[in-house]
Amino acid sequence: MPRVLKPSASHFVDVRGARHHVLTWGDPQSPPLILLHGWMDVGASFQFLVDALADDWYAIAPDLRGFGGSAWQAQGYWFYDYIADLEALLDRFARDQPVRLVGHSLGGNVVMHYAGVGAARVQGIVSLEGFGIPAESPDDAPRKLAAWLDALADPPQCKPYASVGDVADRLQKNNPRLPRGKAEFLAQHWAAVMPDDRAELVSDPRHKMPFPTVYRMDEIFAVWRNIAAPVLWVAAEESEIPRWLDRHPEGEMGADGLDGVRRRLAEVPNGRLVTVPRAGHMLHHDQPAKVAALIESFLTAA
């Protein structure tokens, strides 16, 4: 197991009528730093990043609804609920203070959208590999709606694992850069042990449901253009996300594969892009010290 340098406090709070689990690190009197995790992840995933922070922050990392220790939703999950949840969490943990927002993947997209409508409250945004999802055509609408209806009739499931150790094995298979100690730490937060010693993921499998709506870039850009705070996009050099974004086949992108990311970032006022070498999509696991240094340097200046 990795040596945890900074202890966390666990909170269960009501957020818009649903129980949410929130981890915090540091002194509540320190500047608040909000950390939003990615899809099928949990707030504890930021432990290695928090350990690497040099300054005194009040780091706040919720489990988004339906993930980790936060309540599952019988009515399903909608992206805009995460934005409303974030505002309620800020009211609970940051009150009237200016906030700095950091999000990974799904969490990055949430903080970008919130900053586009909560501009006066946000002092700086860092999005780790959260650059939106592939654009879709209105012509995709009938197919997407039909797929969603089919999934409602036969919802996705998460198969159990033989043990928490097997969950750690899967995490290392997904990310070969992940040391065994970190994988075991994460597995304890990703899964719960059942009475028969099997392990089940603590995230609602209905997060795997297809979206019934198309992803409209004109609407996304309209929100992003309304962001007043400085924005830092952080890309991992070995990530497949930029290529997936534009669905480009091999060989049709620029030398660093980030042309599509740059085109999107051009719609963000006061935005800049940096890359982290020797890291994949889970860059805050692969290079926590480098990512922490980028975050602190940027947000302190902001």
Side-chain angles (χ1 to χ4, degrees):
M1 296 287 290
R3 182 169 66 94
V4 176
L5 302 177
K6 297 179 182 177
S8 62
S10 183
H11 312 262
F12 286 93
V13 298
D14 180 273
V15 176
R16 301 172 60 234
R19 189 181 81 155
H20 273 59
H21 177 237
V22 183
L23 288 180
T24 62
W25 295 262
D27 185 347
Q29 301 306 312
S30 297
L33 179 66
I34 314 301
L35 305 169
L36 293 194
H37 66 76
W39 182 74
M40 299 303 282
D41 204 350
V42 293
S45 186
F46 286 107
Q47 179 69 61
F48 318 129
L49 176 66
V50 171
D51 287 341
L53 293 172
D55 295 336
D56 292 327
W57 301 95
Y58 184 42
I60 303 159
D63 293 343
L64 300 179
R65 58 173 55 210
F67 295 110
S70 293
W72 293 14
Q73 306 297 307
Q75 74 275 21
Y77 302 92
W78 303 96
F79 177 77
Y80 294 100
D81 276 323
Y82 297 127
I83 300 169
D85 290 346
L86 173 57
E87 180 160 76
L89 284 162
L90 293 179
D91 290 340
R92 168 66 173 76
F93 286 93
R95 293 187 175 88
D96 297 326
Q97 299 180 69
V99 295
R100 289 103 168 158
L101 305 177
V102 177
H104 171 249
S105 197
L106 166 63
N109 291 310
V110 173
V111 300
M112 287 289 294
H113 269 64
Y114 181 74
V117 294
R121 193 174 199 173
V122 179
Q123 204 164 57
I125 308 106
V126 178
S127 184
L128 309 173
E129 290 269 305
F131 318 126
I133 64 175
E136 295 171 315
S137 165
D139 293 339
D140 290 329
R143 173 188 58 79
K144 295 199 65 153
L145 185 55
W148 178 70
L149 290 171
D150 289 344
L152 286 176
D154 184 18
Q157 302 293 325
C158 292
K159 70 170 187 176
Y161 290 80
S163 67
V164 173
D166 282 0
V167 178
D169 291 343
R170 179 55 184 265
L171 288 169
Q172 287 190 288
K173 182 179 179 181
N174 290 347
N175 181 9
R177 307 170 189 82
L178 190 66
R180 184 65 185 182
K182 287 185 177 181
E184 291 174 348
F185 172 87
L186 292 169
Q188 292 182 2
H189 294 276
W190 270 40
V193 179
M194 300 294 103
D196 59 1
D197 292 331
R198 294 189 304 168
E200 292 188 358
L201 298 183
V202 292
S203 295
D204 190 340
R206 288 175 298 173
H207 285 294
K208 298 175 180 285
M209 293 273 294
F211 296 128
T213 56
V214 297
Y215 190 73
R216 302 178 180 90
M217 290 309 305
D218 54 349
E219 295 181 10
I220 304 303
F221 289 156
V223 174
W224 289 357
R225 292 188 196 108
N226 202 45
I227 297 174
V231 174
L232 179 68
W233 278 10
V234 185
E237 278 192 357
E238 299 174 25
S239 172
E240 291 300 315
I241 293 298
R243 191 174 302 280
W244 169 75
L245 267 186
D246 284 354
R247 301 185 189 277
H248 280 177
E250 194 73 28
E252 289 189 10
M253 303 184 77
D256 62 2
L258 295 173
D259 292 352
V261 172
R262 291 190 181 92
R263 284 195 296 272
R264 292 187 172 201
L265 186 59
E267 303 291 338
V268 179
N270 202 15
R272 57 180 285 230
L273 173 68
V274 297
T275 59
V276 176
R278 297 184 297 281
H281 182 58
M282 304 300 284
L283 67 172
H284 55 310
H285 296 168
D286 298 344
Q287 299 289 347
K290 291 180 180 178
V291 174
L294 286 169
I295 289 172
E296 290 191 294
S297 174
F298 182 78
L299 292 181
T300 299

